[in-house]
Amino acid sequence: MDHSTHSTKESGDIPIPMTDSKSSKASSPLMPATTNKTAKQPPVSRLKRGLGVVDFILRICAIVTALAAATAMGTTSQQLPFFTQFFRFKADYDDLPAFTFFVIANATAGAYLVLSLPFSIVCIVRPHIIGARLMLLVFDTIAVPLVTAAASAAAAIVYLAHNGNSNANWVAICRQFDDFCQRVSGAVVASFITSLIFVVLVIVSAAALRRN
Amino acid sequence: MKPAALQLGVAPPANRGLAILDFFLRLIAIVGTLASAIAMATTNQTLPFFSQFVRFRAKFSDLPSFTFFVVASSIVTAYLVLSLAISILHIAKANVVNTRVLLLVLDTAAMGLLMAGSAAATAIVQLAHNGNNKVNWFAICQQYNDFCKRVSGSLIGSYAGVVVLILLILLSGVALSRR
């Protein structure tokens, strides 16, 4: 006679298939299949989901600022109303290599951000995923120095353009090219904001990567 | 990984290896940034000719971008030296999550600062080497040869520091995700 099956039928509970007595004493009974598993999210999942939402919103803000910086710098062109016989006084963004690099770097950062939006959505939907988060961390870590470099190189040139440098005999061109300077300075500010947002994105990814 | 090996306070071997690598990378970064700060700060070239009123001299403090570069490099070097202590703590103890996140945050800030300084100095060095016809800026490297060489060389050290800091951040991220 098999005692284990006899006991389950006597009690009148849901017939849970139990193994032989030795192993059944060691293991705890299996839960019935009717438990609602999605009734309440554990707090860790909610925290990671919240961080994912913050990440997504910050990415959208960074797209706006990066593309604004790139277009503001890329559409600069000021021509002074006077000119000599041989020379036309015009200032473009591609007169200075630092500004060209600035436009390229910010456009690249904007494109990367747009492409990373689906991964960010995946991190919201599945809060415990590691691969996508780690990949976002890697690329965000590369994007921080790229955008910072572009912003600060352009800032150095803008500072020179505003103040000149008597030791090197460099003339402050902003006195003549007014609109050009204002536009370029605004683009530099937007790029610094983008860089700050990238730093925050790295921190958010790192905080969400922790295994609790 | 067998469950028996994951006891509290004992680092899985992979994380300890990462922590040791972290420590050595920090040492390399300290050397790089310190060398570049010193190389830039000791620039001083006087041209052999001078007029009655003006002496032709080039120092790092003549250009504000270079001053910012020296300051930023020094701050990052000091931070890296202080963070060696936390790095040693990570080698010794395994399950300290909060200091790892803190170290990652501070590493990111340091990398941003160092990159800003390096890029500003690079922009000025590029101008000094090539000049710019459109805005009538003269290439001063044609006269101040030694000054330019020294300044360009110091930039190499700081870019190496930036690359090492990026690697440190990635290491911290991988170590965080592995626990």
Side-chain angles (χ1 to χ4, degrees):
Chain A
M1 227 180 173
D2 198 357
H3 287 284
S4 58
T5 50
H6 184 69
S7 62
T8 52
K9 281 180 185 169
E10 254 188 2
S11 61
D13 286 337
I14 303 172
I16 303 168
M18 293 181 75
T19 54
D20 286 337
S21 55
K22 273 188 187 173
S23 55
S24 71
K25 278 178 192 169
S27 63
S28 50
L30 296 170
M31 287 179 66
T34 54
T35 304
N36 193 0
K37 284 178 188 168
T38 57
K40 185 181 173 186
Q41 291 175 16
V44 171
S45 268
R46 258 184 292 157
L47 176 70
K48 291 198 178 188
R49 215 171 271 251
L51 283 176
V53 171
V54 167
D55 179 284
F56 184 74
I57 295 175
L58 281 179
R59 255 172 229 280
I60 300 215
C61 295
I63 290 176
V64 170
T65 55
L67 291 181
T71 49
M73 178 72 83
T75 54
T76 54
S77 179
Q78 185 183 6
Q79 189 157 359
L80 294 181
F82 53 90
F83 49 90
T84 71
Q85 194 179 11
F86 304 102
F87 210 68
R88 225 165 217 209
F89 294 94
K90 197 164 101 142
D92 272 334
Y93 77 94
D94 49 5
D95 291 338
L96 289 141
F99 290 168
T100 316
F101 171 60
F102 179 90
V103 171
I104 295 175
N106 276 292
T108 307
Y112 155 68
L113 281 167
V114 169
L115 288 175
S116 73
L117 278 180
F119 293 97
S120 184
I121 294 176
V122 164
C123 288
I124 298 178
V125 167
R126 294 200 178 283
H128 288 283
I129 196 170
I130 289 191
R133 262 193 225 277
L134 201 52
M135 200 194 72
L136 284 182
L137 179 77
V138 167
F139 283 113
D140 284 345
T141 308
I142 296 177
V144 168
L146 179 69
V147 176
T148 311
S152 50
I157 303 293
V158 164
Y159 178 84
L160 260 188
H162 273 283
N163 301 353
N165 192 300
S166 48
N167 291 321
N169 245 351
W170 286 340
V171 173
I173 65 169
C174 273
R175 302 218 178 103
Q176 291 176 330
F177 294 96
D178 237 17
D179 288 338
F180 176 74
C181 266
Q182 275 179 2
R183 200 165 194 151
V184 158
S185 312
V188 166
V189 168
S191 186
F192 271 120
I193 295 176
T194 311
S195 163
L196 267 179
I197 295 180
F198 266 118
V199 168
V200 175
L201 281 176
V202 166
I203 298 174
V204 163
S205 287
L209 262 179
R210 298 168 10 179
R211 276 185 183 233
N212 289 359
Chain B
M1 207 186 283
K2 294 179 186 171
L6 285 179
Q7 301 163 15
L8 279 180
V10 173
N15 265 4
R16 183 171 289 241
L18 286 179
I20 294 179
L21 184 62
D22 179 289
F23 180 74
F24 279 116
L25 281 179
R26 258 172 228 281
L27 286 178
I28 295 176
I30 288 176
V31 168
T33 49
L34 189 62
S36 81
I38 292 178
M40 178 71 85
T42 55
T43 54
N44 191 342
Q45 185 185 8
T46 310
L47 294 180
F49 53 89
F50 50 90
S51 74
Q52 195 180 10
F53 303 103
V54 103
R55 201 158 239 224
F56 296 93
R57 200 168 83 159
K59 277 177 69 169
F60 79 95
S61 49
D62 292 337
L63 289 142
S65 297
F66 289 166
T67 315
F68 171 58
F69 174 75
V70 169
V71 168
S73 283
S74 321
I75 292 177
V76 169
T77 309
Y79 155 71
L80 281 171
V81 168
L82 290 175
S83 73
L84 276 179
I86 305 183
S87 185
I88 295 177
L89 170 74
H90 286 159
I91 299 179
K93 269 187 98 172
N95 48 354
V96 277
V97 167
N98 291 334
T99 56
R100 257 193 223 277
V101 174
L102 174 72
L103 202 60
L104 192 143
V105 169
L106 290 177
D107 276 346
T108 313
M111 176 188 70
L113 183 63
L114 189 61
M115 193 63 186
S118 314
T122 309
I124 302 297
V125 162
Q126 191 272 334
L127 260 188
H129 272 283
N130 302 351
N132 194 302
N133 295 335
K134 305 270 176 80
V135 290
N136 248 353
W137 281 344
F138 166 67
I140 66 171
C141 272
Q142 288 168 4
Q143 289 178 332
Y144 294 96
N145 231 333
D146 286 339
F147 174 74
C148 265
K149 276 194 237 175
R150 197 170 195 141
V151 156
S152 313
S154 86
L155 281 178
I156 299 176
S158 75
Y159 275 117
V162 168
V163 167
V164 169
L165 274 172
I166 292 179
L167 287 175
L168 284 173
I169 293 174
L170 297 181
L171 269 182
S172 291
V174 167
L176 270 178
S177 72
R178 250 193 211 226
R179 285 189 63 254

